Amino acid sequence: IVKCAGNTRTLALSRVYITSIGSMFLANDMALLTFLPLGYISLSATGKEKYMAPIFIFQNIAANLGGMLTPFGNPQNLYIYTKFNIPTLEFMGIMVLPFILSIILFTLCCFFIPRESLDMICDDGEKTNPKKAAFFLVLFALAILTVFRVVPYYICLPITFFAVLFVDKKALLKVDYPLLLTFVCFFLLAGNVSRIGVVNDFFASLLEKNTLLTAIGSCQVISNVPSAILLSEFTTNYKELLLGVNIGGVGTLISSLASLITFREYTSHVKGKTLSYLGLFTALNFGFLIILTLFTFLIV
């Protein structure tokens, strides 16, 4: 990767693009867990750690916004796609214009990274097991077919579970079960809250006035996935809800779980620069949020 990139700007672009593409298929959280370490290795192997903060933030934005195009690109997408039974082409048609603008924006941001030449100072690469990789790619394809309603989930789930149990049972121990339980609790909370008359009227009136802004604002306070689950109980305007919870994924540090993953990864490698990171993160994210919100108002 380093040899192909040649300079820091191209390296930044490649890390950001691969994170964006990865989020379309792996979901934003998994894309960051996969490609942030790759970004760190690339920078540390060339002695360019000084660019870690902006590149990590660009990768974070690319994961949140790049994943908006596909039903499985973000957890909130999968939920809304399933709850409202949205046709796949309609779903992608809703998201394509903000997606294109997002690509243009984070591409332009990468051009602020100077073009410095890269020289390898270490090489600790590990080789991949081709057979194991092929096995998991087959399971991945099965999962995608399930999302597109080709294979029923009650067939995909046991096949995946027992296949992983047989081939790599240790992987099952790495699943974030507390996170899954958190999502279950959000579903229960949203269902119960929607049955409270006063709360129902309050959210219904907000969403009736402006679903897009309500969704974006909610994400900044309680994150995008909980916002999607909660607000979906009070509106049938899935187009603006979908746009809002995706655009709302940028902004505050808690607007998306992916942002917390990036923050944790950065602070694990860089000590003593937390405030400067948060300042740059906030400036860039709110810049994206303002531009995308104004643009979306013009197209909805």
Side-chain angles (χ1 to χ4, degrees):
I1 290 170
V2 171
K3 290 177 181 177
C4 291
N7 62 72
T8 49
R9 182 180 298 168
T10 307
L11 181 65
L13 285 165
S14 67
R15 297 307 87 222
V16 169
Y17 282 143
I18 196 173
T19 304
S20 177
I21 294 170
S23 68
M24 295 180 203
F25 301 100
L26 303 173
N28 56 349
D29 301 336
M30 187 55 63
L32 287 171
L33 290 171
T34 303
F35 298 118
L36 283 175
L38 187 59
Y40 167 73
I41 292 169
S42 302
L43 292 169
S44 61
T46 55
K48 300 296 182 182
E49 292 94 337
K50 61 183 178 181
Y51 297 117
M52 193 179 299
I55 291 177
F56 268 34
I57 294 170
F58 296 156
Q59 284 185 268
N60 181 83
I61 293 172
N64 281 324
L65 298 179
M68 72 167 69
L69 185 63
T70 60
F72 40 79
N74 293 318
Q76 69 270 18
N77 284 7
L78 188 57
Y79 171 71
I80 295 174
Y81 173 77
T82 303
K83 179 176 177 62
F84 293 100
N85 199 28
I86 307 173
T88 302
L89 291 180
E90 181 185 353
F91 182 101
M92 298 180 75
I94 292 171
M95 305 308 302
V96 67
L97 291 179
F99 170 76
I100 292 173
L101 177 59
S102 299
I103 292 177
I104 293 171
L105 290 175
F106 59 66
T107 298
L108 291 174
C109 285
C110 286
F111 277 88
F112 286 95
I113 302 291
R115 290 172 59 92
E116 296 181 4
S117 60
L118 299 174
D119 296 309
M120 293 288 290
I121 59 176
C122 65
D123 185 7
D124 299 319
E126 296 182 8
K127 292 184 178 180
T128 301
N129 184 329
K131 292 182 179 179
K132 195 172 183 179
F135 171 79
F136 281 109
L137 281 173
V138 171
L139 290 182
F140 175 60
L142 179 64
I144 290 179
L145 290 174
T146 301
V147 172
F148 283 129
R149 309 179 183 118
V150 176
V151 178
Y153 72 89
Y154 52 81
I155 293 178
C156 175
L157 182 59
I159 289 176
T160 303
F161 176 79
F162 287 109
V164 175
L165 182 65
F166 179 74
V167 174
D168 187 8
K169 60 183 178 182
K170 290 183 179 180
L172 294 174
L173 299 175
K174 298 179 181 179
V175 175
D176 195 340
Y177 294 106
L179 179 61
L180 295 178
L181 180 61
T182 300
F183 284 142
V184 172
C185 291
F186 278 133
F187 282 110
L188 294 173
L189 175 65
N192 289 325
V193 167
S194 65
R195 291 176 174 84
I196 301 174
V198 176
V199 176
N200 193 314
D201 293 341
F202 173 73
F203 278 110
S205 63
L206 282 179
L207 291 164
E208 185 178 355
K209 293 176 181 177
N210 198 304
T211 302
L212 179 68
L213 277 184
T214 302
I216 292 173
S218 175
C219 291
Q220 307 310 306
V221 180
I222 64 171
S223 190
N224 49 10
V225 177
S227 294
I229 295 172
L230 179 63
L231 298 180
S232 66
E233 298 291 332
F234 305 99
T235 183
T236 57
N237 186 355
Y238 60 78
K239 179 179 180 179
E240 291 191 23
L241 178 62
L242 186 61
L243 287 165
V245 295
N246 275 276
I247 293 171
V250 293
T252 64
L253 189 64
I254 63 171
S255 62
S256 171
L257 174 64
S259 299
L260 294 174
I261 291 173
T262 305
F263 177 71
R264 184 178 61 187
E265 183 73 16
Y266 177 80
T267 54
S268 69
H269 296 300
V270 180
K271 307 299 181 183
K273 295 186 178 180
T274 301
L275 290 179
S276 61
Y277 172 87
L278 289 175
L280 182 61
F281 175 92
T282 302
L284 288 170
N285 272 264
F286 273 96
F288 272 78
L289 181 64
I290 292 169
I291 293 172
L292 286 168
T293 300
L294 292 175
F295 174 77
T296 306
F297 262 114
L298 297 176
I299 63 173
V300 295

